[in-house]
Amino acid sequence: DTAVSQTPKYLVTQMGNDKSIKCEQNLGHDTMYWYKQDSKKFLKIMFSYNNKELIINETVPNRFSPKSPDKAHLNLHINSLELGDSAVYFCASSQTGSGYTFGSGTRLTVV
Amino acid sequence: GEDVEQSLFLSVREGDSSVINCTYTDSSSTYLYWYKQEPGAGLQLLTYIFSNMDMKQDQRLTVLLNKKDKHLSLRIADTQTGDSAIYFCAESPTSGTYKYIFGTGTRLKVLA
């Protein structure tokens, strides 16, 4: 059973479209995250939720909106997609001091 | 600033030891981590060290921590081709924000 699962794995879409990425964890962790990895492999945090409450919201365009219906799920919705949004998006979860467990990533390509 | 620095590339021969270095910024970081990312995959936690330790050994992996210089290293003994990947260090600041700061990543290539 996959601990942190993201769907879809690949997403190719046109500029201006709206898309969502879903994430689920079955580890019972309280905290979930979205990270963006650019083409140079640089990882930057976007959002973090703890028990469904937003605790980290980095400087991310308003077009990105996270939603956490319960502590096992954290989805990412992106409006009006732009070329610069192309990247790999990673979901992760953690419990205090345990280190992150990452999903396998969603490669988003905007054309 | 929040920059965690790593050298970008490292190439070693199979069977040799690899040493990957990391310089972090927050001296109050409680935990420091090493992650491995294989092509097309997510990051996998390899090992971590608590800030009151200066060394941790886990099979082929040895982590050294120099708090004075804010320097962390990962030594992989008897490096194998399966160790080829990108290695990230990460610090966990004690500010309670749960935010880890990841290094820039070191791409390790193991030559047969």
Side-chain angles (χ1 to χ4, degrees):
Chain A
D1 239 1
T2 306
V4 180
S5 59
Q6 296 179 227
T7 53
K9 191 168 173 63
Y10 300 97
L11 187 51
V12 181
T13 188
Q14 290 188 326
M15 274 196 304
N17 283 351
D18 303 338
K19 289 292 177 188
S20 291
I21 307 172
K22 296 188 175 184
C23 180
E24 176 181 3
Q25 55 99 0
N26 62 6
L27 298 165
H29 288 169
D30 288 332
T31 310
M32 295 184 72
Y33 311 81
W34 279 110
Y35 273 80
K36 180 180 180 181
Q37 187 175 46
D38 63 23
S39 58
K40 294 182 180 174
K41 304 299 183 185
F42 205 72
L43 274 162
K44 192 147 175 68
I45 192 166
M46 299 172 70
F47 301 104
S48 176
Y49 271 74
N50 180 261
N51 277 318
K52 302 193 296 175
E53 187 182 331
L54 181 66
I55 56 170
I56 296 174
N57 184 352
E58 293 292 292
T59 309
V60 176
N62 290 339
R63 300 181 294 103
F64 290 79
S65 53
K67 282 192 172 50
S68 182
D70 55 61
K71 76 172 197 177
H73 294 85
L74 180 61
N75 304 322
L76 183 66
H77 187 76
I78 315 168
N79 288 327
S80 303
L81 278 154
E82 300 177 358
L83 292 177
D85 297 332
S86 295
V88 181
Y89 292 84
F90 285 102
C91 177
S93 70
S94 75
Q95 201 72 354
T96 305
S98 69
Y100 287 7
T101 300
F102 280 87
S104 55
T106 296
R107 183 175 294 276
L108 171 65
T109 304
V110 183
V111 296
Chain B
E2 292 188 333
D3 291 340
V4 178
E5 300 285 342
Q6 298 178 239
S7 50
L8 288 180
F9 298 101
L10 177 64
S11 180
V12 300
R13 293 206 174 276
E14 193 174 19
D16 287 349
S17 292
S18 309
V19 179
I20 302 170
N21 294 304
C22 169
T23 303
Y24 61 97
T25 57
D26 191 334
S27 58
S28 63
S29 287
T30 310
Y31 292 95
L32 294 137
Y33 300 88
W34 283 103
Y35 285 83
K36 176 184 181 182
Q37 185 179 27
E38 296 183 5
L43 280 74
Q44 171 196 355
L45 177 64
L46 282 179
T47 187
Y48 65 93
I49 189 166
F50 192 55
S51 59
N52 68 353
M53 300 167 67
D54 51 22
M55 187 181 100
K56 181 179 179 181
Q57 186 146 7
D58 185 359
Q59 298 182 328
R60 292 191 298 124
L61 306 177
T62 303
V63 179
L64 295 178
L65 175 60
N66 180 330
K67 281 194 73 173
K68 176 175 163 289
D69 295 337
K70 288 186 268 187
H71 185 263
L72 181 73
S73 68
L74 174 70
R75 179 176 179 270
I76 306 172
D78 187 26
T79 314
Q80 303 296 308
T81 53
D83 295 325
S84 293
I86 302 175
Y87 290 80
F88 292 91
C89 63
E91 62 175 339
S92 172
T94 52
S95 60
T97 62
Y98 303 88
K99 182 172 77 173
Y100 292 2
I101 310 297
F102 282 86
T104 46
T106 299
R107 192 182 294 269
L108 173 65
K109 185 172 181 178
V110 182
L111 305 171

